[in-house]
Amino acid sequence: MAIANKNIIFVAGLGGIGLDTSREIVKSGPKNLVILDRIENPTAIAELKALNPKVTVTFYPYDVTVPVAETTKLLKTIFAKLKTVDLLINGAGILDDHQIERTIAVNFTGTVNTTTAIMEFWDKRKGGPGGVIANICSVTGFNAIYQVPVYSASKAAALSFTNSLARLAPITGVTAYSINPGITRTPLVHKFNSWLDVEPRVGELLLEHPTQTTLECAQNFVKAIEANQNGAIWQLDLGRLISVEWTKHW
């Protein structure tokens, strides 16, 4: 999908990978980039607007842990303004296995709920035009960091959910693919808690492995958006974009 002149909603578009990806998206010239994030960052929004004045960049505060009805209400406001939305990026995520319930709520339930809410506007069974969903999951979804089993499992759940969305596309008209970054140098991975403190140095040990920059990840993210391949499992690792094969579909 060419990004030019498209309307895009980016959940968590101001985070580590998110902000660099927002920059790369804006450079590609969408009509509208709507960023939904928990914490407002006026400086970042101003930067994005200045990066390409032809693009309308707007911000709405949003916590992915709110009920589906609340998300639907926000999306109704956005759709009323834009009329159409072409792409939804679900990018919210936390890495802290001390926060078990919140990890599941943000990394998995939030993705499910935001997706469920937008179906009200996209589902072809309701007369909708369809749409595209890009869910940011993680390579831990198919190759767990065993010291953070809650985080890894939440990402595996999001990946499985995305694969199911792709298979449901003939029914809903909504296609989907997953973005699975490898170890990326963001504040998220510098220091984080392992489950039951099984490895207090897990963040430090993780960064001993080869990593990629958020910019490298963002550039490949845009390539994945442009490829627009329903059901694709994209691994973004060490500056490369790799298509990963999944297990047998039943």
Side-chain angles (χ1 to χ4, degrees):
M1 180 182 80
I3 293 174
N5 297 314
K6 295 297 192 297
N7 291 334
I8 299 171
I9 296 176
F10 194 165
V11 178
L14 298 178
I17 292 173
L19 182 54
D20 263 338
T21 303
S22 290
R23 291 183 180 114
E24 294 303 304
I25 288 172
V26 166
K27 288 177 188 176
S28 299
K31 186 176 181 181
N32 286 279
L33 176 61
V34 179
I35 295 177
L36 311 183
D37 216 316
R38 192 170 60 87
I39 299 173
E40 189 170 3
N41 185 339
T43 302
I45 295 296
E47 179 202 336
L48 292 172
K49 289 179 177 179
L51 199 58
N52 188 346
K54 294 181 179 179
V55 180
T56 301
V57 180
T58 53
F59 171 85
Y60 294 88
Y62 178 56
D63 186 332
V64 297
T65 64
V66 301
V68 173
E70 195 169 328
T71 301
T72 304
K73 186 178 178 181
L74 173 59
L75 290 176
K76 189 173 182 179
T77 299
I78 295 169
F79 272 81
K81 183 178 179 182
L82 302 186
K83 308 306 179 190
T84 61
V85 173
D86 302 288
L87 171 66
L88 167 66
I89 302 172
N90 284 311
I94 63 168
L95 175 50
D96 183 352
D97 264 30
H98 282 184
Q99 299 186 62
I100 294 172
E101 291 182 356
R102 183 158 179 81
T103 293
I104 295 168
V106 172
N107 294 355
F108 178 56
T109 310
T111 295
V112 174
N113 286 357
T114 307
T115 299
T116 302
I118 206 166
M119 286 295 177
E120 182 72 26
F121 307 89
W122 272 356
D123 194 330
K124 71 178 186 180
R125 294 171 299 170
K126 297 184 177 183
V132 182
I133 294 175
N135 287 333
I136 302 181
C137 301
S138 168
V139 294
T140 62
F142 43 85
N143 186 16
I145 301 174
Y146 63 88
Q147 300 96 331
V148 283
V150 180
Y151 172 82
S152 298
S154 70
K155 290 298 187 178
L159 175 59
S160 179
F161 175 68
T162 309
N163 292 340
S164 294
L165 289 175
R167 300 275 288 180
L168 290 169
I171 297 172
T172 65
V174 177
T175 60
Y177 51 86
S178 63
I179 301 295
N180 301 276
I183 305 170
T184 307
R185 293 194 294 277
T186 71
L188 203 66
V189 300
H190 288 158
K191 182 174 174 56
F192 56 93
N193 296 307
S194 64
W195 179 69
L196 299 178
D197 293 321
V198 290
E199 176 47 77
R201 295 178 58 242
V202 61
E204 188 179 330
L205 293 172
L206 191 66
L207 288 172
E208 290 179 0
H209 294 274
T211 61
Q212 65 182 353
T213 65
T214 53
L215 177 58
E216 287 174 315
C217 188
Q219 289 170 338
N220 281 319
F221 197 149
V222 166
K223 289 178 183 177
I225 292 172
E226 291 170 345
N228 195 28
Q229 184 179 329
N230 185 42
I233 302 171
W234 294 112
Q235 179 176 340
L236 283 61
D237 202 10
L238 302 179
R240 297 171 297 174
L241 179 65
I242 304 163
S243 180
V244 175
E245 292 296 321
W246 191 239
T247 53
K248 180 180 178 181
H249 292 296
W250 294 98

